């Protein structure tokens, strides 16, 4: 940039300076020529000169021209007759000779055509600008002679040189100023682009575009005016827009009328993993303001369809449940096997058989209950895993044998259902163990009669005071020690309310709590699956 701006400035300065010098020289030459022409015309009309030419009075003309040359600051004044023979000249030796032997000009335009004119010539007295005018006889009107007035161009050259020195000095200062300005501009520009060269910026732009297009999440960025500056193909596909839609430079509210990007632009607040209802689809959205110092100059948003996350979440939930079940059963059966082996070794065979029969009987009863009452494998697997987890903790999870949960709606997300139920059961088990220690009991009953799915969970924990029964569902609130607490019940309420259901809590006597979960089989039409806005 410095070299480029310097060359441009030098070219501009050179062109302007050359034009100014040429214009100045041409103007001076024209001015001196017009002056010579004016003086020659004036002298040609003087009666004394006309009379001297008619009488060929060389001494009088010689004295007169010398005086007039000094008066008009002319280099010379030469007077010739009608044949251009000198009658007056600064050099007496040239008197009586033709004026043509000086510059080759015989004065034809003046002597034959009667026209005054200007000529530039190199004569015996040096380079001069000459004005020549015809001398007319006042009586007859005939051309009787010619006057040539010359001004030395050496004076013009000296003036031009003096002006050129000033001009060159100004051009030099302009060029120096332009170079300094180029250095300052280039420095500020380079600082603004983090010291990168144009080629590096081009490479980064190509890498950024390739990165944007390779990301599976939709990405849209806006500037401080709310105009779209960046987007990728996934954004167009996810939002269900026409592939030919021109997004760049468009107001974001025209593309996404319910967007929250403008609010993020105003507040400068970030949002992560927020579930929203956008363009008729449930999505997970992240919004991150772009700041320059303390000022928010834009917002970048990424979003993905919730369906994709649900699929991954369901797979992870099933794997986790399966792992928890295997771990609980391995630990439990390992203890049972050690006990049975010990009974056999001491000869207590009847007690060993009774323990085996009791173990088989309990599991068979639970599995039979789940097969009959809970046909859905995901929900049944969750309950079996929590049953084994409770036994591992030294507690007992009792499922009401009259429970029935067969009429689960197909549209109810199973991963969300087991997430809600699993959180409630985990909290009940933790509270019971905290209050009762090993041997505590948690009861679960379920029914799908009527229009709602109802789950009741009773624990033997310390209970929840009435003034805290609403606060336990707030994000971040927890009475348990440690970090990352107060999320489970908050998510429970969020998921339940999204489906149009509710969850209540009440204290039992003498200790314990009862959580009741209501989920409508058909959610209200007004109940969205997520917040609006993107």
């Amino acid at each position: 940039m410095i070299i480029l701006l310097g060359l441009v400035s030098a070219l501009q300065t050179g062109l302007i300076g050359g034009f100014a010098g040429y214009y100045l020289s041409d103007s001076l030459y024209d001015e001196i020529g017009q002056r010579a022409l004016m003086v020659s015309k004036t002298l040609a009309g003087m009666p004394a000169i006309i009379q001297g030419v008619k009488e060929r009075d060389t001494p009088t003309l010689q004295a007169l021209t010398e005086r007039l040359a000094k008066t008009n600051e002319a280099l010379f004044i030469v007077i010739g007759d009608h044949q251009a023979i000198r009658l007056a000249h600064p050099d007496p030796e040239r008197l009586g000779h033709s004026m043509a032997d000086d510059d080759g000009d015989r004065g034809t335009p003046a002597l034959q055509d009667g026209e005054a004119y200007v000529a530039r010539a190199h004569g015996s007295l040096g380079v001069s600008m000459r004005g020549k005018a015809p001398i007319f006889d006042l009586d007859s009107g005939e051309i009787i002679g010619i006057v040539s007035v010359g001004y030395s161009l050496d004076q013009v050259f000296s003036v031009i040189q003096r002006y050129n020195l000033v001009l060159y000095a100004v051009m030099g200062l302009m060029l120096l100023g332009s170079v300094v300005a180029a250095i300052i501009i280039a420095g500020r520009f380079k600082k603004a682009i983090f010291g990168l060269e144009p080629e590096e910026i081009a490479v980064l732009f190509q890498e950024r575009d390739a990165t944007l297009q390779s990301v599976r999440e939709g990405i849209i960025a806006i500037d401080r005016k709310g105009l779209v500056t960046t987007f990728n193909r996934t954004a167009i596909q996810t939002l269900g827009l026409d592939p030919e839609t021109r997004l760049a430079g468009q107001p974001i509210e025209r593309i996404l009328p319910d967007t929250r990007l403008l609010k993020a632009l105003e507040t400068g607040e970030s949002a992560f993993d927020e579930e929203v209802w956008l363009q008729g689809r449930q999505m997970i959205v992240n919004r991150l303001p772009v700041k320059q110092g303390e000022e928010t100059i834009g917002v970048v948003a990424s979003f993905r369809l919730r369906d994709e996350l649900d699929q991954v979440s369901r797979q992870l939930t099933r794997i986790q449940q399966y792992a928890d079940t295997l771990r609980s059963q391995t630990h439990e059966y390992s203890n049972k096997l050690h006990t049975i082996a010990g009974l056999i070794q001491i000869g207590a065979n009847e007690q060993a058989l009774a323990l085996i029969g009791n173990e088989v009987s309990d599991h068979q009863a639970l599995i039979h209950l789940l097969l009959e009452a809970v046909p859905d494998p995901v929900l049944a697997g969750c309950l079996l895993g929590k049953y084994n987890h409770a036994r591992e903790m030294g507690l007992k999870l009792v499922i009401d044998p009259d429970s029935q949960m067969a009429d689960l709606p197909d549209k109810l997300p199973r991963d969300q259902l087991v997430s809600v139920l699993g959180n409630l059961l985990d909290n009940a088990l933790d509270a019971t163990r905290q209050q009762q220690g090993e041997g505590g009991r948690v009861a679960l009953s379920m029914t799908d009669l009527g229009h709602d799915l109802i789950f009741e969970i009773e624990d033997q924990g310390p209970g929840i005071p009435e003034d805290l029964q609403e606060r336990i569902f707030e994000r971040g609130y927890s009475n348990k020690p440690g970090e990352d607490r107060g999320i489970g019940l908050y998510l429970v309420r969020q998921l339940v309310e999204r489906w149009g259901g509710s969850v209540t809590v009440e204290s039992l006597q003498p200790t314990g709590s009862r959580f009741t979960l209501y989920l409508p089989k058909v959610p209200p039409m007004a109940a969205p699956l997520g917040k609006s806005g993107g």
Side-chain angles (χ1 to χ4, degrees), residues 7-84:
L7 290 176
V8 171
S9 177
L11 179 62
Q12 290 179 338
T13 305
L15 290 175
I16 294 174
F19 175 76
Y22 172 80
Y23 183 77
L24 176 64
S25 300
D26 188 67
S27 297
L28 288 175
Y29 289 144
D30 183 66
E31 181 182 352
I32 201 73
Q34 292 300 319
R35 183 178 180 183
L37 183 63
M38 182 182 66
V39 172
S40 65
K41 287 182 177 180
T42 301
L43 296 182
M46 291 180 63
I49 293 180
I50 295 174
Q51 187 65 30
V53 171
K54 290 174 66 175
E55 298 176 356
R56 303 184 67 84
D57 187 357
T58 297
T60 302
L61 292 175
Q62 188 79 357
L64 182 62
T65 54
E66 288 180 0
R67 186 173 74 255
L68 291 173
K70 292 180 180 180
T71 302
N72 291 277
E73 299 181 351
L75 175 66
F76 63 83
I77 296 177
V78 177
I79 297 177
D81 60 12
H82 65 283
Q83 294 181 348

Side-chain angles (χ1 to χ4, degrees), residues 448-485:
D448 58 1
L449 298 177
H451 299 290
D452 295 329
L453 308 176
I454 303 175
F455 298 84
E456 282 190 358
I457 300 172
E458 295 183 2
D459 62 48
Q460 294 179 335
I464 302 173
E466 186 175 352
D467 58 336
L468 297 179
Q469 289 179 2
E470 283 298 320
R471 290 194 60 193
I472 61 174
F473 294 102
E474 296 177 2
R475 184 183 182 94
Y477 178 82
S478 177
N479 57 5
K480 300 176 184 178
E483 299 180 355
D484 298 328
R485 297 289 188 177

Side-chain angles (χ1 to χ4, degrees), residues 389-411:
H389 180 57
R391 298 188 64 175
E392 186 182 32
M393 296 173 64
L395 305 174
K396 189 172 184 180
L397 175 60
V398 179
I399 300 178
D400 188 346
D402 294 328
S403 294
Q404 181 70 26
M405 191 55 63
D407 192 14
L408 288 176
D410 294 335
K411 293 184 178 180

Side-chain angles (χ1 to χ4, degrees), residues 99-122:
M99 296 174 65
D101 64 5
D102 190 19
D103 55 4
D105 182 8
R106 296 182 177 274
T108 303
L111 293 176
Q112 294 184 3
D113 302 330
E115 296 179 358
Y117 65 97
V118 177
R120 180 178 177 180
H122 189 286

Side-chain angles (χ1 to χ4, degrees), residues 291-492:
K291 295 191 175 183
Q292 189 175 48
E294 296 297 325
E295 182 184 5
T296 302
I297 61 174
V299 180
V300 178
S302 65
F303 43 90
R304 170 176 284 188
L305 291 174
R306 175 62 190 268
D307 297 342
E308 299 178 9
L309 298 179
D310 286 346
Q311 183 179 0
V312 176
S313 177
R314 282 194 294 269
Q315 294 174 352
L316 292 177
T317 299
R318 292 171 183 172
I319 294 173
Q320 184 177 7
Q321 290 173 355
Y322 182 65
D324 290 342
T325 301
L326 290 179
R327 180 169 54 83
S328 300
Q329 289 181 347
T330 300
H331 181 73
E332 181 181 357
Y333 285 127
S334 178
N335 292 334
K336 299 294 184 182
L337 287 174
H338 286 107
T339 303
I340 293 171
L343 291 173
I344 294 174
Q345 288 176 0
I346 64 175
N349 295 335
E350 293 183 2
Q351 288 83 351
L353 291 172
L355 180 60
I356 293 173
N358 182 61
E359 180 65 26
V360 173
S361 175
D362 288 347
H363 268 274
Q364 288 299 325
L366 176 62
I367 293 174
H368 179 74
L369 172 62
L370 293 178
L371 288 175
E372 291 291 333
V374 188
D376 188 86
V378 177
L379 181 57
C382 172
L383 295 178
L384 182 59
K386 296 303 178 184
Y387 176 83
N388 292 320
H389 180 57
R391 298 188 64 175
E392 186 182 32
M393 296 173 64
L395 305 174
K396 189 172 184 180
L397 175 60
V398 179
I399 300 178
D400 188 346
D402 294 328
S403 294
Q404 181 70 26
M405 191 55 63
D407 192 14
L408 288 176
D410 294 335
K411 293 184 178 180
L412 177 62
R414 298 301 190 265
D415 63 316
Q416 295 185 14
L417 176 60
V418 298
S419 176
V420 170
L421 197 58
N423 267 301
L424 293 176
L425 288 173
D426 285 340
N427 284 344
L429 293 172
D430 289 341
T432 300
R433 184 168 185 178
Q434 178 185 354
Q435 184 70 15
Q436 303 293 336
E438 294 188 5
R441 177 178 177 276
V442 174
L444 168 65
S445 64
M446 305 171 288
T447 179
D448 58 1
L449 298 177
H451 299 290
D452 295 329
L453 308 176
I454 303 175
F455 298 84
E456 282 190 358
I457 300 172
E458 295 183 2
D459 62 48
Q460 294 179 335
I464 302 173
E466 186 175 352
D467 58 336
L468 297 179
Q469 289 179 2
E470 283 298 320
R471 290 194 60 193
I472 61 174
F473 294 102
E474 296 177 2
R475 184 183 182 94
Y477 178 82
S478 177
N479 57 5
K480 300 176 184 178
E483 299 180 355
D484 298 328
R485 297 289 188 177
I487 302 296
L489 291 179
Y490 168 77
L491 292 177
V492 166

Side-chain angles (χ1 to χ4, degrees), residues 152-173:
S152 175
L153 291 184
D154 292 340
Q155 297 176 353
V156 179
F157 292 151
S158 63
V159 172
I160 291 176
Q161 289 179 352
R162 186 167 65 252
Y163 285 160
N164 282 341
L165 289 177
V166 177
L167 184 62
Y168 293 151
V170 173
M171 290 172 59
L173 290 176

